[in-house]
Amino acid sequence: MKYTQAFIPTVKETPSDADTISQKLMLRAGLIRKLSSGIYEWLPLGLIVLKKVEQIIREEMNKIGGQELLLPAVLPKELWVETGRWEIYGDELYRIKDRAGREFCLGPTHEEVITDIVRKEVRSYKQLPLMLYQFQTKFRDEIRPRFGVMRAKEFYMKDAYSFHATEEDAANYYKIVFDAYSRICVKCGFKYCPVEATTGAIGGSSSHEFMVVADTGEEEIISCDCGYGANIEKAECSRTEGKRVLGEIKDLEEIYTPNLKTVDEVSKFVNEKPEKFIKTLIYLADEKPVMVIVRGDMEINEEKLKYVLKCNQIALANAETVEKVLGAPVGFAGPVNLNDKNIDIYADFSIENIVNGISGANKKDYHLKNINIDRDYKPLAIADLRKTRRGDLCPKCQENHLKFSRGIEIGHTFRLGIKYSKTMNATFLDDKGNKNHFIMGCYGIGVSRIVAAMIEQSHDENGIIWNETVAPYRVIIIPISYEGKIKEVSDLIYNQLSEKTDVILDDRNERAGVKFKDADLLGIPIRITVSDKTIAENGVEVKYRAEKTAKLTKIGNILDILK
Ligand code: ATP
Ligand code: MG
């Protein structure tokens, strides 16, 4: 490609509303343009990169037996009603009507559609396992679109779905996909970390997120040298059993705490550490009030709570509801004296070790001290409900302290089990002629998010530094001025290299300084400069984008730079 023929609208100034480095550089390098909030145009250079990433993924999916197909983006409501997700997906789902008033959504993910195909077309265990995947634009009405194409309302995804006759086969295949995802990360040049994750709206029994390690990442991840890794929502907390110091169990006592509501306020007032407090929260779990308690210096992890309560929606109750349920205002709730109040208590593990604890008295302006579990209250369940904190021990090895870092989630793998095949009644006949539900897995990768994540991880003050596997062009040739002998040599090496790789020749009538700046901004891995000086030595200057210094290469050996 000749630069003068290419559509590469670079920009000098930093766009003011760009909120991340990758978005700034993608806009400045002319890879994308913003059409509307969370909606982007992919310009030619950006699309070359996107397609290269797509090809890396496609090759790995084919290697593990995947077969590519293409599903519609407009999906009939009926399928989504079958699985209940027409309701559950909430406001993130784009809903539309056709001229006859029939309802559809724009696909945010395709479990329903693929399960529908397979239930219609696959009859026997002999047709299994089956792995189908596609590349497609997905639509999600994100509440806060941000970071450019990383959290967009319309984005490009690879989604894959596998169908198995047995749990064992599904489990084995899950590992195979996991390895393929790891290879994709390596080929993209990522520093990455797979972590255990919660299953969210997609559902299923277990899942992993593939995180690209980056300080600017949206997700907080924890890891341990022993190999344990999890996202912060999923990160387990160990049950510190046996650590309960059994001192003297004292009698319950009421304390007058006028207008003192938070753990902090009361702890200062009574001069006791927050560790002594039983923090009490009232939640609505699918509209039903529940009491949740955790040690005063710790926080509830709502994802874990949702999992333990087996509910779809969880939210803190408002002041009015709390008062109605407990007969006391917010700030004075506690697990004791619930008598006729018909509310279940869910306790975090951290509660077990509190001796002579303090909490609200369910009475305005009063707290209780010397509260003890079993004697004064009985939780319905004790479970891991809290957020992981700095300093926590690794729940797996129980030896090291957890490391905290940040990451960008680029891929997500799920073991779905029969979640979708059951609700959609998708069955096959096994070798004994019995009807069984398909065991499923689903595996997504954000292709467009990967492009931004690459830049987030690999750039400097001058621009992007592409990995050679995805760079829009691998080589840029910069003639100091495109005329005479310099033009001759530039054309010669351009023709030679073009046969082997993607090359762009900067034939613009611009100062060399401008061309160098653009080459750095675009992040082309190999830059070749042709000048009278280099020609006098029968060579050209070669500089790799990721390195500081340049070196002279003989014109006759130019193909060596690709090795
Ligand atoms: P997140 O937690 O970031 O919202 P998710 O759990 O909703 O992601 P999945 O439904 O598992 O994501 O989608 C698979 C992949 O699609 C993600 O790993 C991510 O790379 C990408 N992705 C998800 N939402 C977006 C978005 N709004 N914009 C761009 N890429 C996205
Ligand atoms: Mg999401």
Side-chain angles (χ1 to χ4, degrees):
M1 177 63 88
K2 298 273 176 67
Y3 206 117
T4 49
Q5 282 149 30
F7 182 59
I8 311 178
T10 58
V11 190
K12 278 204 201 67
E13 313 77 47
T14 303
S16 60
D17 63 342
D19 51 10
T20 45
I21 270 291
S22 55
Q23 191 188 7
K24 278 177 197 152
L25 290 174
M26 287 179 86
L27 289 165
R28 282 192 54 210
L31 305 182
I32 56 165
R33 284 292 180 266
K34 179 168 161 179
L35 181 63
S36 173
S37 170
I39 303 194
Y40 288 86
E41 299 145 343
W42 286 80
L43 304 187
L45 214 64
L47 190 65
I48 297 177
V49 180
L50 190 74
K51 289 286 161 188
K52 287 193 177 183
V53 174
E54 175 179 327
Q55 191 53 25
I56 290 176
I57 298 169
R58 176 177 289 116
E59 281 167 18
E60 293 301 331
M61 289 300 105
N62 290 346
K63 259 191 222 164
I64 61 170
Q67 298 176 64
E68 189 170 349
L69 45 53
L70 182 58
L71 302 171
V74 178
L75 312 176
K77 173 182 176 181
E78 294 70 37
L79 276 183
W80 285 71
V81 170
E82 273 191 62
T83 58
R85 288 211 294 182
W86 186 261
E87 293 301 325
I88 293 169
Y89 224 96
D91 290 340
E92 222 173 275
L93 197 64
Y94 276 102
R95 294 155 210 260
I96 52 171
K97 279 191 185 143
D98 70 4
R99 63 178 77 204
R102 281 187 299 251
E103 292 183 87
F104 297 84
C105 66
L106 298 179
T109 174
H110 280 68
E111 285 77 14
E112 281 80 357
V113 185
I114 203 87
T115 308
D116 183 51
I117 295 183
V118 171
R119 75 174 163 187
K120 287 178 186 152
E121 310 297 337
V122 178
R123 295 270 162 268
S124 155
Y125 73 98
K126 289 180 193 152
Q127 294 162 279
L128 300 175
L130 181 64
M131 157 75 148
L132 300 168
Y133 75 95
Q134 63 165 346
F135 289 94
Q136 195 195 37
T137 299
K138 297 283 192 256
F139 300 86
R140 294 183 186 179
D141 195 357
E142 295 278 353
I143 186 164
R144 271 182 65 216
R146 56 193 183 277
F147 312 142
V149 298
M150 274 207 274
R151 184 165 296 286
K153 292 182 170 222
E154 183 185 317
F155 60 97
Y156 200 52
M157 198 208 277
K158 185 280 306 177
D159 45 329
Y161 308 87
S162 70
F163 296 81
H164 307 267
T166 63
E167 272 295 348
E168 193 191 357
D169 192 51
N172 287 338
Y173 194 70
Y174 187 80
K175 284 191 210 111
I176 291 173
V177 179
F178 188 94
D179 291 343
Y181 269 46
S182 303
R183 288 196 298 275
I184 291 167
C185 287
V186 171
K187 282 196 181 160
C188 288
F190 281 139
K191 206 173 127 211
Y192 73 102
C193 172
V195 301
E196 290 177 11
T198 47
T199 49
I202 310 260
S205 60
S206 80
S207 94
H208 286 87
E209 288 168 350
F210 281 74
M211 294 288 188
V212 165
V213 182
D215 292 342
T216 48
E218 249 188 309
E219 313 287 332
E220 196 160 20
I221 52 183
I222 55 116
S223 58
C224 176
D225 292 338
C226 78
Y228 180 75
N231 75 15
I232 200 79
E233 287 173 353
K234 170 83 183 189
E236 292 162 36
C237 300
S238 50
R239 183 175 193 168
T240 44
E241 253 173 327
K243 284 203 187 144
R244 190 166 187 203
V245 202
L246 278 176
E248 181 200 351
I249 304 258
K250 298 185 186 154
D251 290 341
L252 264 184
E253 217 176 283
E254 216 168 51
I255 28 179
Y256 183 53
T257 49
N259 274 321
L260 303 174
K261 296 182 178 177
T262 63
V263 168
D264 230 29
E265 288 165 353
V266 185
S267 110
K268 284 195 186 110
F269 181 70
V270 296
N271 198 19
E272 290 276 12
K273 286 192 187 140
E275 284 92 312
K276 269 236 146 163
F277 281 70
I278 301 168
K279 195 192 276 182
T280 308
L281 302 156
I282 306 298
Y283 274 95
L284 289 178
D286 292 339
E287 308 299 312
K288 183 181 178 238
V290 292
M291 177 176 280
V292 184
I293 55 179
V294 63
R295 212 171 80 181
D297 56 332
M298 295 174 166
E299 305 286 334
I300 288 294
N301 175 330
E302 294 184 359
E303 282 300 319
K304 290 182 181 176
L305 184 61
K306 227 158 107 176
Y307 180 77
V308 169
L309 292 171
K310 297 189 177 54
C311 64
N312 291 320
Q313 303 284 344
I314 188 96
L316 274 174
N318 62 23
E320 211 180 309
T321 314
V322 173
E323 188 134 18
K324 211 167 102 199
V325 176
L326 297 178
V330 173
F332 303 99
V336 191
N337 296 336
L338 288 174
N339 309 328
D340 53 341
K341 296 203 171 75
N342 189 24
I343 186 168
D344 291 331
I345 305 173
Y346 289 83
D348 176 63
F349 286 148
S350 58
I351 286 298
E352 290 175 297
N353 300 321
I354 301 180
V355 180
N356 299 325
I358 303 163
S359 196
N362 296 320
K363 182 169 158 191
K364 188 176 180 320
D365 291 338
Y366 284 91
H367 279 75
L368 288 175
K369 68 182 203 181
N370 304 332
I371 301 176
N372 287 286
I373 193 166
D374 297 334
R375 182 191 70 179
D376 304 320
Y377 69 98
K378 272 200 185 5
L380 181 72
I382 301 180
D384 175 13
L385 295 177
R386 73 169 173 97
K387 286 185 186 165
T388 302
R389 305 188 306 171
R390 271 159 217 280
D392 278 356
L393 278 186
C394 169
K396 195 170 164 214
C397 70
Q398 304 266 354
E399 266 175 33
N400 306 330
H401 290 281
L402 291 170
K403 283 186 195 153
F404 284 68
S405 46
R406 301 202 76 86
I408 301 165
E409 176 199 321
I410 54 112
H412 204 162
T413 55
F414 295 85
R415 286 187 59 191
L416 293 173
I418 57 168
K419 180 178 156 90
Y420 290 89
S421 52
K422 191 165 175 213
T423 49
M424 294 183 69
N425 197 22
T427 58
F428 65 96
L429 295 177
D430 67 16
D431 54 354
K432 295 182 188 69
N434 296 326
K435 255 191 192 176
N436 285 317
H437 290 111
F438 294 100
I439 319 277
M440 292 172 58
C442 79
Y443 322 93
I445 283 194
V447 189
S448 43
R449 187 181 281 183
I450 280 188
V451 176
M454 284 173 161
I455 299 173
E456 227 33 72
Q457 222 178 42
S458 181
H459 66 268
D460 64 13
E461 63 284 4
N462 299 319
I464 303 167
I465 306 178
W466 289 117
N467 194 293
E468 295 213 3
T469 52
V470 297
Y473 297 98
R474 199 160 156 214
V475 181
I476 183 163
I477 301 170
I478 299 186
I480 292 296
S481 61
Y482 192 54
E483 55 197 3
K485 186 74 183 158
I486 298 180
K487 177 175 187 299
E488 224 173 88
V489 172
S490 299
D491 287 346
L492 176 84
I493 56 174
Y494 174 68
N495 290 331
Q496 280 187 341
L497 288 166
S498 294
E499 279 178 22
K500 302 278 177 205
T501 190
D502 302 326
V503 188
I504 184 164
L505 170 64
D506 195 345
D507 56 342
R508 291 179 299 169
N509 185 16
E510 288 280 3
R511 283 181 298 112
V514 172
K515 295 184 182 180
F516 289 148
K517 268 214 157 64
D518 279 339
D520 277 355
L521 174 62
L522 300 185
I524 315 293
I526 307 174
R527 185 185 84 192
I528 297 178
T529 310
V530 188
S531 67
D532 287 327
K533 214 174 95 203
T534 65
I535 293 175
E537 292 185 63
N538 205 17
V540 293
E541 186 202 84
V542 175
K543 183 184 169 296
Y544 291 88
R545 177 66 179 85
E547 289 168 16
K548 287 265 176 295
T549 53
K551 62 176 192 294
L552 200 82
T553 294
K554 294 286 177 211
I555 295 167
N557 299 339
I558 198 66
L559 292 181
D560 290 351
I561 64 165
L562 301 179
K563 282 179 189 156

